[in-house]
Amino acid sequence: MKLFLTTMVLAAGMIASAANAAGPCGADTLVAMRTSVLTATGTPAGFLDAVKDHKAWYASHGFKNDSFVTSPAIVGIRGAMQPSSRKYVTFHVYGGQQDPKHDAAWDAYVTKYKANATIDSEERFCLPKGASIVAK
């Protein structure tokens, strides 16, 4: 009986380790959704340049399957829905579950983001396998 319990505990640990190795989404896709608001001195061009550097960092570090979509948020202005001039929504669709190592280039694009915007909200979720939010 003791051998059986030990085997069950070890098997449960291996299953948990395999699930953690696959990331929080398993076979689904991890997505980060951020809403950013330009700072008083931030500019749309500066923010979008930070997004460009963010994409480039992932691509240059072997994350070829990661995708990014950034767009102005839609806000109500005087009763009409319009693209915001100060608020942006960014989706980062991860191509893999690995956790990247930060370096000087990482710090540089994060600094550029911080010079232009603050993160208003951030959510992570699992996009079901086969679903997409990125135009192909």
Side-chain angles (χ1 to χ4, degrees):
M1 185 64 161
K2 185 175 182 180
L3 178 59
F4 175 75
L5 289 174
T6 301
T7 302
M8 293 304 290
V9 168
L10 289 174
M14 286 191 293
I15 291 169
S17 292
N20 287 338
C25 294
D28 293 338
T29 303
L30 178 63
V31 178
M33 180 181 78
R34 294 176 188 91
T35 303
S36 301
V37 178
L38 296 183
T39 61
T41 58
T43 65
F47 177 78
L48 294 174
D49 195 44
V51 173
K52 179 182 66 72
D53 290 353
H54 190 172
K55 291 179 186 181
W57 185 92
Y58 271 84
S60 71
H61 285 72
F63 297 89
K64 303 293 185 203
N65 295 321
D66 284 39
S67 301
F68 294 80
V69 177
T70 301
S71 179
I74 299 296
V75 296
I77 301 174
R78 293 186 282 281
M81 300 299 284
Q82 299 178 19
S84 174
S85 62
R86 311 246 357 121
K87 192 173 202 176
Y88 289 83
V89 177
T90 302
F91 290 92
H92 179 176
V93 181
Y94 291 85
Q97 304 291 344
Q98 59 271 58
D99 202 14
K101 300 271 189 251
H102 302 185
D103 59 12
W106 173 288
D107 294 339
Y109 82 73
V110 168
T111 298
K112 195 176 287 187
Y113 270 127
K114 288 179 178 179
N116 285 281
T118 58
I119 295 174
D120 188 44
S121 67
E122 179 173 9
E123 298 290 336
R124 292 177 188 255
F125 59 94
C126 298
L127 189 66
K129 187 173 185 164
S132 178
I133 59 169
V134 178
K136 300 270 180 190

